[in-house]
């Protein structure tokens, strides 16, 4: 029982490899897509129907700022500029949340966002994602949604939104291409009503179950 999330300081010895085969590794699905494509909205629905634990990397980082952590100011500045927080910070938060959840299936939403995130997760956590959901949505629609969201997110203003779009295209799309080349990406047209998008999502999880 329990979640076997690799500790970041464990050596990669064959002995460890034997230990990990005894305890089953958790299942991880990465949920990716541009800012406002509907990652969080769809994850909430998946949790209800399929029993995953939803871990939004952005939510974990925002909670870290709120907690008054020593990294808070750095994270806050980076989010306001749409930049990607160093992997070690984000991965520590993800790892802790996975361990605390007691679950063994996770939706990791909004991570990995660049090659460094991806490689660090692979090296430190050592879990291969089962598959990747990629929500595809035109920028105009994402921009409209974010400007209407009204949930007090400091990065939901037009300057920050444009920066987030740029970082997504330059840094995050290559990660999706990497997994696409491995045949692990399910592309979903996210420019439809929430319920229609979820129908597509559901059929993927139904098959994976
Ligand atoms: N909405 C949703 N679906 C809709 C639909 N089908 N039709 C109409 N409206 C729809 O949705 C956004 C809004 O659209 C909501 O009002 C919703 O009701 C509506 P949501 O589900 O929240 O979209 P989501 O894709 O989750 O948008 P979000 O803004 O959260 O995406 P981002 O990727 O920009 O934000 P995230 O929180 O992941 O990251 C924020 C920042 O944190 C990053 O820019 C970065 O600075 C930092 N970060 C890191 O550095 N590292 C990380 O690993 C993660 C984040
Ligand atoms: Mg989100």
């Amino acid at each position: 029982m329990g979640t076997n999330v690799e500790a970041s300081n464990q050596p990669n010895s064959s002995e460890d490899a034997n230990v990990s085969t005894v305890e089953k590794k958790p299942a991880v699905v990465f949920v990716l897509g541009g800012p406002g494509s509907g990652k969080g909205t769809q994850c909430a629905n998946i949790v209800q129907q399929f029993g995953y634990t939803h871990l939004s990397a952005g939510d974990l980082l925002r909670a870290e700022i709120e907690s008054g952590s020593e990294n808070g100011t750095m994270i806050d500045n980076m989010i306001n500029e749409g930049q990607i927080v160093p992997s070690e910070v984000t991965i520590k938060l993800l790892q802790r949340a996975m361990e605390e959840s007691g679950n063994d299936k996770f939706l990791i939403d909004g991570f990995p966002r660049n090659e460094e995130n991806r490689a660090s997760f692979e090296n430190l956590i050592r879990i291969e994602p089962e598959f990747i959901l990629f929500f595809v949505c035109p920028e105009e629609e994402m921009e409209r949604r974010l400007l209407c969201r009204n949930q007090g997110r400091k990065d939901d203003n037009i300057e920050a939104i444009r920066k987030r779009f740029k970082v997504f295209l330059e840094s995050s799309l290559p990660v999706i291409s990497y997994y696409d080349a491995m045949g692990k990406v399910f592309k979903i047209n996210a420019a439809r009503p929430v319920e229609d998008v979820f129908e597509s999502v559901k059929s993927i999880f139904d098959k994976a179950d």
Side-chain angles (χ1 to χ4, degrees):
M1 289 295 284
T3 301
N4 177 24
V5 180
E6 297 280 354
S8 56
N9 56 358
Q10 278 182 353
N12 185 9
S13 71
S14 55
E15 227 174 73
D16 280 337
N18 288 337
V19 171
S20 347
T21 51
V22 173
E23 208 171 343
K24 196 170 160 278
K25 285 199 177 192
V28 163
V29 173
F30 290 144
V31 180
L32 302 176
S37 58
K39 301 183 291 295
T41 304
Q42 295 298 327
C43 281
N45 288 335
I46 301 165
V47 164
Q48 289 209 333
Q49 289 229 354
F50 297 98
Y52 281 74
T53 293
H54 172 208
L55 301 177
S56 157
D59 285 351
L60 290 169
L61 289 166
R62 284 182 287 274
E64 189 67 359
I65 299 171
E66 288 301 309
S67 78
S69 117
E70 56 178 347
N71 285 324
T73 308
M74 178 271 288
I75 298 171
D76 194 32
N77 290 337
M78 296 196 83
I79 288 183
N80 292 337
E81 288 300 312
Q83 288 174 14
I84 299 166
V85 171
S87 298
E88 65 199 67
V89 173
T90 315
I91 287 176
K92 230 176 250 167
L93 296 174
L94 286 169
Q95 194 171 25
R96 191 170 67 197
M98 287 168 86
E99 282 163 359
E100 285 173 0
S101 76
N103 201 350
D104 62 356
K105 29 203 270 200
F106 300 95
L107 301 170
I108 299 194
D109 157 5
F111 177 98
R113 285 180 117 81
N114 60 12
E115 280 296 305
E116 194 233 346
N117 280 174
R118 183 193 63 70
S120 303
F121 188 87
E122 222 167 82
N123 293 334
L124 298 175
I125 307 287
R126 295 204 248 132
I127 299 173
E128 271 286 317
E130 305 291 310
F131 57 89
I132 284 80
L133 290 187
F134 173 28
F135 292 117
V136 183
C137 195
E139 276 191 9
E140 312 82 69
E141 170 64 11
M142 296 194 288
E143 185 177 301
R144 198 183 56 73
R145 291 178 187 176
L146 294 176
L147 290 173
C148 291
R149 176 155 58 182
N150 235 350
Q151 283 175 358
R153 273 205 22 198
K154 277 163 77 188
D155 57 348
D156 279 351
N157 59 78
I158 193 64
E159 292 81 25
I161 288 169
R162 296 264 157 88
K163 287 177 189 165
R164 287 156 69 192
F165 285 162
K166 189 163 185 283
V167 170
F168 176 72
L169 291 177
E170 290 176 358
S171 303
S172 308
L173 271 184
V175 176
I176 296 168
S177 303
Y178 171 90
Y179 286 118
D180 202 18
M182 295 167 74
K184 288 197 169 208
V185 175
F186 290 98
K187 276 186 203 165
I188 295 164
N189 173 7
R192 295 176 290 158
V194 173
E195 302 71 34
D196 294 6
V197 178
F198 190 56
E199 281 306 311
S200 304
V201 168
K202 227 167 32 184
S203 70
I204 294 165
F205 280 88
D206 278 339
K207 279 181 210 136
D209 247 12

